[in-house]
Each structure stands twice: as C-alpha cells, then as structure tokens.
Amino acid sequence: MDISDIDLTVRLDGDTYTTETISSSIAPGDLLAYEFKLPLDLIGLSNPTIEVEAAHPDDGNALNNVGSLSIKTGTDTRVVLFDKTLHRNGEQLNSVRMTLPNDLQRYEQMMLNIDLTCPSGGCGIWDVLADLKVVTASGTYELARYITPYGIACGGWTIDVTDFKSVLGGEVEFLSNITVFTTQGWLVDMSIDLIDDADEDTYYSLSRLWEKGYQVYGDPGISYDLEPFEISVRDNTDIHYVRMTITGHGQGNTNNAAEFYDVTHRLHVDGTAIADHRLWKSDCPNNPCANQSGNWQFPRAGWCPGESVTPFYMNTTGTADPGATVSLDYVLLDYTYLLTTGDNNYGHTEPYYRSFSYFM
C-alpha cells in the first residue's frame, strides 16, 4: 500500500536543525528523491555529523529510521567547496550547493584556494581551460579561471574573489569545470577563506559587462565588436573599476592568434580611451608548475599552463561622479585571420577570446 505524511528531522551534531513532512505518496518498492526546503548552513561548524530521521506513525520498527553523514568543513573561516573531487571525461563539471552567511560584506577579503592532484589513472596530459562559476539569486558569475598544467599535479593558486561578496550571500551553487576530454583527469581541492581583519565593513556592488565564453576574433563574417554598456554609478561610491578576466585561444592562423598573438586592446569611457590592455603573459618560464610536458614556457595571450588567470583591473574612478551614468566600451584591435571557420587543412583552430567582465 502507498504511504505518505512521512516526518523528516535533520540534526547537526545532535541538535535539531529542521523538520519537514513529505506529503506525496510513495508506492511499495519506489524511491523518492527529496530536497529539503531549508538548505544546510555549515559555516562555522568543524567537521559536523548530519543525521536524517524519517518517521511514520504506522512504522513499528524505528531501528532503520536514521541515516548519518560526516562532513569535512575545515576551519571556522574556511569554506570547503570541493575535496579531491574527480574531473575527467564524462565528469568535467561538478557542483555543490551550500548556504553562505548573508552578511558577507563584513569580511575584508574572500580568497579562493585551488589545488590539483593526480587520480589513480594519472593527471590530464594537456593544458586545458578550467573555471569556477557560482549560481546565485541574481544570476551566474565566473569567479575564477585557471589553466591546468601538462600532466602533473600542481596548485597553490590563490585568487581574490572579494569583488563578488555582494552576490555570494545565502544559498548558492558552485560549478567547477575542467575541459578535459581524456580518461586522465584531476582531483580538485577548492576552498574560500573568509578574512575579517578590518575595523569597518567594506561594501561592494557589481554590474555585468562583457560575458563571452567564445568570442570569435578576426573572422570577416562574424563581428567581434563588443557592445558598449551604460552603467549607473551608485550614489555612495568611493571608487569604481572594471574587472576583466580575458584569455586568448586558437592557433595556427594569421599571427598565430589568438593564443600566441601579442596584442593591445583599449577600454573607452564616454568615448575616450583611458586604458591600454596588453593581453600578453611573457613570464611563463617562472611558472610555479615548472618542468611540465609540452610548450609550457611559451608566452601566451593572458595565461600560462599551470597558473590561475590574473584579472585585468581598469580604474575608472574620476571618469564619472557618484550618481552619474558612464558609458564603457572595450575595443579589440582590428584583426583579420585568413583561414575560414572550420578549415583545418593547415592544422589550425580559429582564434577566440574568453572574457567575463564586471563593473565594481
């Protein structure tokens, strides 16, 4: 016979956290995946034990009502996102949902830590794109981007994600992706340190600008002109700036763009160029992931194998007063590549940029 009205109780370290009732009917032999209305908030708990008890008035055997799970959370000020989580072909994307404190503005800094180790089948043999995104009530944001090394364990990368603290409070979902297409892959460790050392709270806000996961560059049939944005500066703003995480990819075509093309683009504010952006990283031989395979020492368009991508900051303070509206335009240098899309006779891949940008 079908059953319903099952009472669920969740306990954290023995204390009742929430109680809910399953009202839907369950047929004999069926399984039900149930998502609690109140998400678990594990911030400040050290390696808690979670217990879930399911009870029904007609169930005379309470011995199988309780299931438990131990969670590794780290220290009180460190939020663990992923712990040796496997990323490989078929398992490129991993996600975790959690509830962060609603008052993140009180933290002076939020620092993301990333480490890669090798699974039993070995590390991925290629340098590939990887990133961390977050899904929030206001939308999805790219928090960080990095490039895996060629075939070795590495890491120790720390990325400042304080700019995003205005959207990270409450229930969020973190999405970790490594674009690997082999059976080899990576074990990913990620955590966020919450640093509260300031005497006064610091407040941030952000607006979306250019978000292009694949912006073809130089194809005569595809426009690469980025649309300008009209942004209102908040009345209580002290400083404002553009944060742009941009990398160039594709090779074997005109000027070996975009991965190996040394080029300078410009940010325009209200029609006037205020900042040159040389999209080039020439210090790859100093890579902390030294002695990789492949051509890891070659300079590239904004990145190196085995490093996190450093955002480009363009200070716009002084170009618009608090309460005013400012027009922002990122202008790519004129460029045309002479091989058509999909033409692989010369072993090339089309040039493109990956860019996620925000106004702070």
Side-chain angles (χ1 to χ4, degrees):
M1 114 181 147
D2 294 353
I3 61 171
S4 60
D5 298 326
I6 301 172
D7 295 325
L8 300 179
T9 301
V10 178
R11 300 184 184 90
L12 289 180
D13 291 334
D15 295 328
T16 298
Y17 182 81
T18 186
T19 57
E20 297 182 15
T21 300
I22 300 175
S23 57
S24 56
S25 296
I26 306 174
D30 282 356
L31 296 175
L32 175 67
Y34 181 79
E35 182 175 339
F36 283 90
K37 297 179 178 124
L38 180 65
L40 288 174
D41 183 354
L42 303 181
I43 305 301
L45 299 179
S46 179
N47 305 329
T49 297
I50 302 172
E51 292 181 339
V52 179
E53 179 179 2
H56 190 273
D58 295 332
D59 181 11
N61 180 12
L63 296 178
N64 62 351
N65 285 6
V66 179
S68 64
L69 175 69
S70 295
I71 301 293
K72 180 179 178 182
T73 58
T75 66
D76 290 348
T77 56
R78 172 164 289 186
V79 182
V80 175
L81 308 183
F82 298 96
D83 184 2
K84 297 291 186 297
T85 303
L86 180 62
H87 294 61
R88 64 181 176 186
N89 189 23
E91 299 171 272
Q92 298 170 329
L93 179 66
N94 287 269
S95 67
V96 60
R97 295 180 63 184
M98 61 178 59
T99 301
L100 296 178
N102 288 316
D103 59 342
L104 288 173
Q105 298 285 10
R106 73 183 177 91
Y107 291 101
E108 181 185 9
Q109 283 186 305
M110 298 180 64
M111 307 299 291
L112 172 68
N113 310 295
I114 305 174
D115 284 288
L116 302 180
T117 53
C118 298
S120 58
C123 280
I125 60 175
W126 296 105
D127 58 329
V128 295
L129 270 166
D131 62 34
L132 177 68
K133 292 187 174 71
V134 63
V135 182
T136 75
S138 61
T140 301
Y141 303 87
E142 185 191 75
L143 296 185
R145 190 182 317 158
Y146 62 99
I147 313 296
T148 67
Y150 287 94
I152 66 172
C154 198
W157 308 309
T158 300
I159 303 171
D160 192 332
V161 296
T162 312
D163 288 325
F164 298 94
K165 67 181 183 177
S166 64
V167 299
L168 286 176
E171 184 180 0
V172 297
E173 180 179 17
F174 291 99
L175 307 175
S176 173
N177 182 72
I178 299 181
T179 313
V180 58
F181 298 102
T182 64
T183 54
Q184 299 92 357
W186 309 94
L187 297 174
V188 177
D189 287 296
M190 284 189 184
S191 62
I192 295 178
D193 288 330
L194 305 177
I195 301 171
D196 186 13
D197 290 336
D199 294 333
E200 297 182 0
D201 294 347
T202 53
Y203 291 87
Y204 285 65
S205 66
L206 66 83
S207 300
R208 297 176 182 277
L209 296 175
W210 306 281
E211 297 176 301
K212 303 287 185 179
Y214 194 100
Q215 174 74 39
V216 176
Y217 182 44
D219 188 324
I222 302 175
S223 173
Y224 56 82
D225 183 32
L226 299 174
E227 72 280 9
F229 278 86
E230 299 290 326
I231 300 294
S232 296
V233 181
R234 290 177 178 264
D235 291 336
N236 58 348
T237 299
D238 292 326
I239 60 173
H240 49 82
Y241 50 89
V242 172
R243 173 191 173 121
M244 171 175 280
T245 305
I246 180 171
T247 50
H249 308 274
Q251 50 79 34
N253 43 65
T254 306
N255 295 329
N256 216 3
E259 181 172 334
F260 300 103
Y261 185 23
D262 183 353
V263 66
T264 298
H265 307 305
R266 286 182 172 175
L267 177 71
H268 292 243
V269 176
D270 293 332
T272 300
I274 69 158
D276 288 344
H277 180 196
R278 186 187 180 196
L279 185 60
W280 195 241
K281 201 162 190 318
S282 59
D283 61 349
C284 292
N286 300 326
N287 196 316
C289 303
N291 300 320
Q292 306 173 36
S293 303
N295 57 0
W296 61 275
Q297 294 178 314
F298 290 5
R300 287 171 166 84
W303 60 276
C304 297
E307 285 191 5
S308 60
V309 178
T310 302
F312 178 60
Y313 289 92
M314 292 163 278
N315 188 0
T316 53
T317 307
T319 63
D321 294 329
T325 298
V326 62
S327 176
L328 302 173
D329 192 12
Y330 188 76
V331 180
L332 300 176
L333 184 73
D334 290 342
Y335 165 75
T336 302
Y337 77 93
L338 303 180
L339 295 174
T340 58
T341 303
D343 178 3
N344 288 309
N345 292 333
Y346 297 93
H348 87 293
T349 53
E350 67 180 359
Y352 74 93
Y353 286 126
R354 181 179 181 88
S355 172
F356 286 82
S357 311
Y358 306 97
F359 180 74
M360 309 296 181

